[in-house]
Amino acid sequence: MRISRLILPASDVSKSAAFFRDVLELPTVGNSIQAGWSEIQLIPAVEEAPRGVHLAFNVPFERFDTAAAWLKGRTPLQRERGGDERFVLEGDWQSMSIYFDGPDNAVLELIGRRRLIDPAGKRPFSGADLSCLSEVGIPSDDVEGMVAEAVWTFGVGTIGPASSSFAAIGNDEGMLIAVDPNRAWFPEKRQRPGANGLEIWVNNVKSPGIVSDARHGWKVRAK
C-alpha cells in the first residue's frame, strides 16, 4: 500500500509550507509539498486545525545514522523520559525511528525500515532521500472495528496484531496508524492524536473504497 496524497488542514498554510520546505528540504510549490511519491496538500483549516497529527517519512535504512544527524542539525528531536531520542524496533517492525515536532503540534517521524532495499548512496543526505509519506495517524473509538473495516474494504493486512488501542494497517511502504484518541503519541506522550479534516488517498491495494470516521473527521480513499 502507498499513500499517494494527503490533504492536511493548517492554521497557517504559508507557515506550514515553509516548515516542510526549509526544515525537511521537500519540494514545495504553493501549498503542495512533494515527498517522493507522496503529495501533501495544505489547505486552510475551516475552524481549528487538527492538533496532534502524526506523519512519518521513510528514509533508507542503510542511511539512518546520516538521516538522524541531518535532522538533528535542523530541528530538536523528541526524547523518551529516559533521554533516548533514537528508537529501534525488532520483531514485526524491523525499523529505526526519530521523532520531532511539526506545525500545529504535529508529531513527525523519520523511519528506516530494514525490509525495504534502498541504494545507500554517498551523497550528502537531504530531503530528496525521504522516499514517501509512509504513515498517517487516524484516531478511532473502535480501533479493532476500524481495522476490520479497512482490511475488508481495501484488502490489506496489518503489521503485527491489532489491539484495542493501536494497529498498523498496510505495509512498510504505507501505513494507517489507527489509535485510541486517548493514547498520546510516543515518545514524549504529550500530544494526543487528531485528524479532523484529513483526507488520505492510497493506492496499490486490492480493492477500491472509502473508510471514514465522522466523529474524528478523517477519510481514506482508494481507487
Side-chain angles (χ1 to χ4, degrees):
M1 186 170 82
R2 290 185 171 187
I3 299 169
S4 59
R5 186 181 181 212
L6 168 68
I7 291 182
L8 176 61
S11 59
D12 186 323
V13 169
S14 296
K15 187 174 180 180
S16 293
F19 177 91
F20 288 105
R21 181 193 67 221
D22 299 338
V23 176
L24 296 183
E25 295 183 336
L26 294 174
T28 302
V29 179
N31 65 340
S32 177
I33 297 102
Q34 197 70 35
W37 63 66
S38 306
E39 178 194 9
I40 300 173
Q41 183 180 357
L42 300 168
I43 62 171
V46 175
E47 295 180 354
E48 184 178 356
R51 311 283 288 176
V53 169
H54 169 64
L55 307 177
F57 300 86
N58 276 358
V59 299
F61 185 84
E62 296 82 0
R63 304 200 75 196
F64 188 80
D65 289 346
T66 306
W70 171 81
L71 183 64
K72 193 172 181 178
R74 308 178 74 81
T75 192
L77 302 185
Q78 288 197 5
R79 296 173 179 268
E80 202 175 21
R81 182 172 297 179
D84 292 337
E85 60 186 20
R86 181 180 304 202
F87 306 95
V88 179
L89 294 179
E90 302 295 345
D92 293 315
W93 285 85
Q94 297 292 306
S95 64
M96 294 188 289
S97 295
I98 49 177
Y99 297 83
F100 55 107
D101 289 343
D104 292 320
N105 207 36
V107 180
L108 307 184
E109 175 185 3
L110 297 189
I111 182 167
R113 304 184 191 272
R114 191 189 305 271
R115 288 182 291 256
L116 295 180
I117 299 174
D118 295 293
K122 294 184 179 180
R123 66 185 184 279
F125 194 90
S126 72
D129 291 287
L130 278 60
S131 62
C132 64
L133 175 61
S134 68
E135 294 179 7
V136 179
I138 47 174
S140 173
D141 295 326
D142 178 11
V143 169
E144 290 172 310
M146 195 278 288
V147 170
E149 181 182 2
V151 169
W152 182 85
T153 302
F154 302 137
V156 296
T158 62
I159 299 291
S163 75
S164 61
S165 62
F166 180 92
I169 306 162
N171 55 36
D172 288 340
E173 289 192 325
M175 298 182 193
L176 305 171
I177 305 298
V179 290
D180 184 286
N182 295 312
R183 185 184 189 275
W185 289 117
F186 182 84
E188 294 188 351
K189 298 182 179 180
R190 56 181 170 80
Q191 295 137 303
R192 296 188 185 277
N196 188 42
L198 267 63
E199 293 192 45
I200 306 156
W201 275 260
V202 299
N203 55 27
N204 288 18
V205 297
K206 293 181 180 179
S207 306
I210 297 175
V211 174
S212 62
D213 188 309
R215 179 174 180 183
H216 295 288
W218 54 260
K219 185 177 293 185
V220 182
R221 306 173 186 264
K223 294 183 178 180

